[in-house]
């Protein structure tokens, strides 16, 4: 085996990658059981709980957490905020992987996954799901094209690279429109259950609520991913850029929060805010812990200049939006008396394996494709202290990383 082949094997089969592969393998075995014996064999879903963990987390949270792609791309290409360009490729990759994970989860959750493509020929324009399905399908294709320059640069396929660069602005505008449509339409799914959804979360404005919380959690997810990838790949963190991007979070909350409370008051549900029950407690946890506190902290310059604080605040925003999606789709919905749902352990296995696949894909892209800009390449001192030798291969403005044991 040549030295390069040995290096490739060490890069692919790190302890972290082997753990992720093991989790993915468990998910694949579980999926085989699901397709062989039906969805009831691996889940606790029922007529009372037709949607469970996979819809609440994998779909609703997954789509919202992938919003960083369209928020960052819009900032760079539509609003001319060039300072965000260094974090654009990782944001698009996170969004692209997020949507792929959503599709894989749907292939497990759908009663007839083999019919997932039916919406292409059997049109039902009066269905919200039809709109969501088309938007997700088209936006995933748009993200694939926005991501493709990493591949064309690596392969040095100049004609395709020039083609994508020439239509990038069109792709970003199309992606922004599609994201706005389906992020809000996911909220529309629950606007048809006014008698079943708790008044703390039900509102005809659910589409707008879903959209503004997606705009807030998108930058939070970019910060979360940047801090983790900076530590894993020993590269310099773009704290100044992330601090500026974080200002989008309180801006979105400044619209969302007044709209939320005014809507509750107008609907005559203000008394629900102060009832001593589980719904009220979870609502205040979501609002205070996921909106008010992180939104206020981000306004402090010292918080925006600290990678640790930015990571903590981003985590709070992500947790708040995740809790919101669970509240709307699962916890806040009224069920028949005696109905109960606790996700089956194999439902968790599917979700964990899908997330593991996304993490593994991100790691491989970072190692083999030009994902990060040159100027944010490596914290050489930190790399040396950790015993990791880092090499890079320049491909234009961006580089990929290959991390190898120094004595390996």
């Amino acid at each position: 085996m040549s030295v390069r082949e040995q290096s490739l094997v060490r890069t692919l089969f790190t302890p972290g990658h082997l753990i992720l592969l093991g989790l993915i393998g468990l998910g694949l075995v579980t999926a085989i059981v699901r397709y062989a014996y039906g969805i009831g064999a691996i889940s606790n879903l029922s007529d009372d709980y037709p949607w469970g963990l996979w819809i609440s987390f994998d779909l609703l949270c997954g789509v919202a957490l992938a919003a960083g792609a369209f928020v960052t791309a819009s900032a760079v290409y539509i609003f001319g905020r060039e300072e965000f360009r260094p974090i654009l490729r990782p944001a698009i990759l996170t969004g692209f992987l997020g949507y792929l994970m959503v599709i894989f989860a749907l292939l497990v959750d759908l009663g007839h996954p083999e019919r997932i493509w039916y919406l292409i020929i059997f049109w039902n324009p009066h269905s919200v799901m039809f709109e969501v399905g088309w938007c997700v399908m088209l936006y995933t294709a748009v993200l694939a094209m926005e991501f493709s320059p990493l591949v064309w640069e690596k392969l040095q396929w100049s004609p395709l690279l020039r083609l994508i660069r020439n239509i990038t602005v069109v792709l970003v505008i199309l992606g922004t429109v599609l994201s706005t449509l389906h992020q809000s339409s996911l909220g529309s799914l629950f606007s048809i259950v006014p008698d079943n959804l708790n008044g703390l979360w039900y509102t005809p404005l659910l589409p707008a609520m879903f959209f503004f919380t997606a705009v807030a959690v998108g930058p939070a997810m970019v910060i979360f991913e940047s801090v983790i990838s900076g530590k894993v790949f020993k590269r310099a963190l773009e704290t100044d850029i992330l601090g500026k991007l974080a200002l989008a979070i309180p801006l979105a909350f400044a619209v969302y929060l007044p709209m939320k409370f005014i809507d509750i008051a107008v609907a005559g549900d203000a008394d629900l805010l102060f009832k001593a029950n589980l719904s009220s407690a979870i609502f205040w946890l979501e609002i205070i812990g996921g909106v008010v506190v992180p939104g206020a902290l981000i306004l402090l310059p010292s918080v925006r200049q600290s990678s640790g604080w930015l990571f903590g605040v981003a985590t709070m925003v992500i947790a708040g939006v995740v809790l919101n999606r669970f509240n709307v789709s699962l916890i806040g919905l009224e069920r028949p008396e005696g109905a109960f749902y606790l996700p089956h352990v194999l439902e968790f296995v599917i979700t964990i394996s899908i997330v593991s696949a996304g993490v593994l894909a991100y790691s491989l892209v970072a190692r083999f494709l030009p994902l990060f800009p040159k100027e944010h390449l490596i914290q050489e001192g930190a790399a040396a202290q950790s015993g990791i030798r880092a090499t890079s291969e320049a491909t234009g403005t961006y580089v990929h990383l290959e991390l190898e044991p120094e004595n390996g």
Side-chain angles (χ1 to χ4, degrees):
M1 183 180 292
S2 67
V3 174
R4 183 169 182 79
E5 289 171 337
Q6 292 177 9
S7 173
L8 179 63
V9 169
R10 283 197 297 268
T11 302
L12 286 175
F13 298 102
T14 64
H17 286 180
L18 291 175
I19 293 173
L20 292 172
L21 285 171
L23 294 172
I24 295 169
L26 284 176
L28 289 174
V29 172
T30 306
I32 291 172
V33 174
R34 177 258 179 268
Y35 293 125
Y37 298 101
I39 199 169
I42 66 165
S43 77
N44 286 332
L45 298 176
S46 63
D47 289 342
D48 294 329
Y49 284 90
W51 287 356
L53 176 67
W54 297 328
I55 294 298
S56 295
F57 183 78
D58 297 34
L59 174 61
L60 297 179
C61 295
V63 169
L65 297 179
F70 93 87
V71 172
T72 310
S74 300
V76 173
Y77 287 102
I78 297 178
F79 298 105
R81 300 294 298 271
E82 285 294 325
E83 68 266 36
F84 297 133
R85 189 175 288 276
I87 59 174
L88 180 58
R89 286 191 172 187
I92 289 176
L93 173 61
T94 303
F96 182 40
L97 294 176
Y99 276 83
L100 290 179
M101 288 189 283
V102 166
I103 293 171
F104 285 130
L106 280 175
L107 288 173
V108 177
D109 185 77
L110 290 176
H112 288 280
E114 76 280 5
R115 301 177 182 174
I116 193 171
W117 57 277
Y118 273 24
L119 82 166
I120 298 175
I121 55 174
F122 297 115
W123 284 42
N124 183 8
H126 301 293
S127 168
V128 174
M129 287 188 179
F130 175 79
E131 180 198 337
V132 171
W134 263 99
C135 285
V136 169
M137 181 174 60
L138 292 175
Y139 186 51
T140 304
V142 168
L143 283 172
M145 287 189 279
E146 291 181 347
F147 168 77
S148 67
L150 282 74
V151 179
W152 310 143
E153 284 182 14
K154 179 68 176 178
L155 299 176
Q156 298 183 352
W157 288 3
S158 300
L160 285 174
L161 185 59
R162 280 197 300 273
L163 173 63
I164 294 298
R165 284 177 174 169
N166 288 336
I167 63 172
T168 295
V169 174
V170 176
L171 291 175
V172 170
I173 293 174
L174 180 60
T176 302
V177 172
L178 291 170
S179 294
T180 302
L181 287 172
H182 72 262
Q183 291 283 0
S184 56
S185 293
L186 285 173
S188 300
L189 288 174
F190 302 93
S191 63
I192 61 174
V193 288
D195 298 328
N196 295 90
L197 184 57
N198 189 295
L200 292 173
W201 293 284
Y202 174 76
T203 167
L205 298 178
L206 263 176
M209 302 282 186
F210 266 48
F211 174 74
F212 284 109
T213 49
V215 171
V217 81
M221 193 61 193
V222 173
I223 294 169
F224 185 85
E225 163 266 316
S226 295
V227 173
I228 291 179
S229 67
K231 291 186 178 299
V232 171
F233 298 115
K234 310 298 180 187
R235 65 183 187 83
L237 186 64
E238 314 87 344
T239 306
D240 55 335
I241 301 174
L242 297 177
K244 293 177 182 176
L245 183 67
L247 287 172
I249 297 173
L251 192 62
F253 283 159
V255 179
Y256 169 73
L257 202 56
M259 182 166 58
K260 181 78 177 172
F261 282 96
I262 291 173
D263 179 75
I264 290 175
V266 171
D269 291 324
D271 59 313
L272 297 176
L273 295 169
F274 308 104
K275 285 192 173 180
N277 56 29
L278 179 63
S279 297
S280 176
I282 294 177
F283 174 84
W284 285 113
L285 177 64
E286 172 194 324
I287 294 297
I288 295 176
V291 178
V292 176
V293 173
L297 286 174
I298 290 172
L299 295 176
L300 302 175
S302 59
V303 170
R304 298 197 303 275
Q305 295 165 4
S306 164
S307 60
W309 272 106
L310 280 174
F311 182 77
V313 169
T315 303
M316 293 176 71
V317 174
I318 292 170
V321 172
V322 169
L323 183 57
N324 171 265
R325 297 304 190 261
F326 271 87
N327 285 335
V328 172
S329 63
L330 200 61
I331 300 172
L333 282 171
E334 184 179 344
R335 312 285 178 173
E337 187 175 353
F340 179 75
Y341 168 73
L342 181 66
H344 194 288
V345 64
L346 294 181
E347 291 180 63
F348 287 109
V349 169
I350 289 291
T351 295
I352 292 171
S353 68
I354 290 175
V355 173
S356 299
V359 173
L360 178 61
Y362 188 103
S363 177
L364 294 178
V365 169
R367 284 172 164 81
F368 294 105
L369 295 178
L371 181 64
F372 301 114
K374 290 178 183 176
E375 59 269 29
H376 297 278
L377 179 55
I378 288 290
Q379 298 175 353
E380 294 184 354
Q385 290 176 8
S386 65
I388 297 294
R389 178 167 60 87
T391 60
S392 66
E393 178 182 327
T395 53
T397 306
Y398 294 84
V399 295
H400 72 261
L401 309 176
E402 291 181 356
L403 303 182
E404 306 169 2
E406 195 168 32
N407 56 359

